[in-house]
Amino acid sequence: MARHITGAPTDFHYQQAPSTPSASSPTHTCPEDFRITSRNPDFDLYDNVGRDADQIHAARYHLATRDDLKRWARRDAQPFRAAHPLPDGPWPDPDLGPYLDALSAAQTPAEIDAVTDHVLDAAEPALRALSDYLAAAARWKRENRDAAKGSPSHLLMTAASRTLSVLALADEAGTNRLRAAYDPAPTPTTPTAAGLPPSPPSPGAGPRR
């Protein structure tokens, strides 16, 4: 099966965005009299009782953790999820057993390439579907227009492209292995003395008169 690997669409222009603080950054400091107005009813990260290490660390910089953000988003999206039900659980797990067994038995570049090609052909539809979704998410509400580098839209489009890069890199590895086996580069050879042109006469060795 011929595999035509193309990158995800990159129809966006980005600008350099100023750096933003993160909970894991050790360089942020807050003035002694700094106060923050809670942005969420349960944005109470300053009591260590019942808080995990990430929340305690984030509280030093008055930031929510990733888990906090996800928890609030899940709560606020409940009516939407009820109106738009989605399949539960992950996509079906592929059975790698036959591929790994064949890989263990492979002895030649042709044999390992046959197994790897089979895996890539089987995985390509799922990877391409994931790439298509990430690209669509990057274009949500046309946020990809003039998206700053590091913005959600820019990161999603980068993820869409890198999803397909998995296929491209694996395909390149297989091609390089086959080229080394079937079409190796010629080995440079040093010319022998017999093949060298005759040396020019030394100066002053002209004919006698």
Side-chain angles (χ1 to χ4, degrees), residues 65-79:
T65 66
R66 176 187 181 276
D67 288 343
D68 291 325
L69 298 174
K70 291 290 188 180
R71 185 178 71 254
W72 299 336
R74 283 194 299 268
R75 179 197 60 199
D76 293 343
Q78 283 178 355

Side-chain angles (χ1 to χ4, degrees), residues 64-132:
T65 66
R66 176 187 181 276
D67 288 343
D68 291 325
L69 298 174
K70 291 290 188 180
R71 185 178 71 254
W72 299 336
R74 283 194 299 268
R75 179 197 60 199
D76 293 343
Q78 283 178 355
F80 174 83
R81 286 292 309 273
H84 301 274
L86 299 171
D88 289 328
W91 290 346
D93 290 337
D95 181 10
L96 286 180
Y99 300 102
L100 295 177
D101 290 343
L103 180 63
S104 297
Q107 299 293 324
T108 68
E111 292 169 351
I112 186 176
D113 189 69
V115 180
T116 304
D117 262 2
H118 223 74
V119 172
L120 296 181
D121 289 342
E124 182 174 0
L127 291 174
R128 193 169 294 281
L130 177 59
S131 177
D132 290 345

Side-chain angles (χ1 to χ4, degrees), residues 1-71:
M1 173 179 169
R3 188 179 306 110
H4 301 287
I5 302 171
T6 57
T10 54
D11 51 343
F12 62 95
H13 303 283
Y14 63 82
Q15 302 169 343
Q16 183 69 41
S19 59
T20 55
S22 65
S24 61
S25 172
T27 59
H28 299 119
T29 58
C30 297
E32 291 293 335
D33 59 347
F34 181 83
R35 294 294 182 272
I36 185 170
T37 301
S38 295
R39 294 163 291 180
N40 193 286
D42 62 348
F43 195 79
D44 182 14
L45 304 181
Y46 312 111
D47 180 1
N48 289 356
V49 178
R51 302 296 179 183
D52 60 32
D54 287 341
Q55 288 173 319
I56 295 172
H57 178 75
R60 296 173 54 195
Y61 309 107
H62 304 279
L63 295 172
T65 66
R66 176 187 181 276
D67 288 343
D68 291 325
L69 298 174
K70 291 290 188 180
R71 185 178 71 254

